[in-house]
Each structure stands twice: as structure tokens, then as C-alpha cells.
Amino acid sequence: MDGSDPNAQLQLNCFGIEYAGFPRKIEARFGDGKLNMVWILTGKVEENRIREKLKAEYGEPVFVNDAWEIFDGWTVGLRKDKPELLLLTKELGQFYKKEYFKQ
């Protein structure tokens, strides 16, 4: 990876995809012709319910700050400043860990 953000090459917006009991807008992003990131738009009132589902599935978050809770080796993110769920490939998760979530 050359340090640029490879997720910004192509985005498909999908509507009506069910996740956590409700139809959602999902943004599927592709880099170098491969799906590498999915945003699932949620609602702020669902944050605690989704967090509990993520903990049940992946255990405790590996990183927490005011805007994010990151799970599963940096492949699942609960965004708290804007209600969304982020799914990443392992490679892109590690890229973001190094670039944006410096500890």
C-alpha cells in the first residue's frame, strides 16, 4: 500500500438492505476493483443496542475514543459521532489503525 487511502476509488450506494432489524442505506466502497469497506448507516438511538450486539459477537473493543469503538482486530467500527457501522478488510483496518488512530 502506498499510503494513499485506497477506499475512495468507487462507491456504490445501496438502499433497503436489512441490518439489525431495519432497512438501511449501505455504502460499499471498492479499491483496486475489490470491496474493502462497507458503511452501514444507523441511528443514534440504536447505538447501545448495536454496541451490545458487537460485544456479543466480537468481545470487548480493541480501541475506544470519543468518536469510535473498534472491534475484531480493527475490522469493525462503531462510529459514535455520526451513527454508522464500518466494516473493513484486515489490510485496510491496519492501514486506518496506523494512519488515523495513532495511540
Side-chain angles (χ1 to χ4, degrees):
M1 199 172 296
D2 65 5
S4 64
D5 186 352
N7 71 314
Q9 295 176 13
L10 175 68
Q11 176 174 311
L12 297 178
N13 295 322
C14 308
F15 298 90
I17 307 297
E18 189 165 319
Y19 174 79
F22 297 96
R24 312 283 179 172
K25 177 184 180 191
I26 295 179
E27 300 169 352
R29 293 189 182 180
F30 297 79
D32 298 325
K34 296 178 183 175
L35 178 65
N36 61 13
M37 175 184 289
V38 175
W39 288 99
I40 302 171
L41 282 63
T42 62
K44 187 66 175 170
V45 298
E46 301 176 278
E47 183 178 305
N48 288 333
R49 182 174 64 89
I50 292 172
R51 176 184 297 108
E52 292 307 312
K53 287 185 175 288
L54 293 173
K55 285 181 178 181
E57 180 71 25
Y58 303 112
E60 291 297 316
V62 297
F63 176 84
V64 176
N65 69 11
D66 290 341
W68 290 94
E69 291 183 30
I70 305 294
F71 296 85
D72 195 35
W74 294 84
T75 61
V76 178
L78 175 64
R79 188 170 179 183
K80 299 182 287 188
D81 62 336
K82 183 177 178 184
E84 298 176 318
L85 186 67
L86 175 61
L87 309 174
L88 299 163
T89 62
K90 288 180 183 180
E91 296 79 15
L92 197 54
Q94 292 304 305
F95 171 79
Y96 279 118
K97 177 183 177 182
K98 291 175 189 168
E99 293 295 314
Y100 300 108
F101 297 104
K102 294 180 173 135
Q103 299 183 37

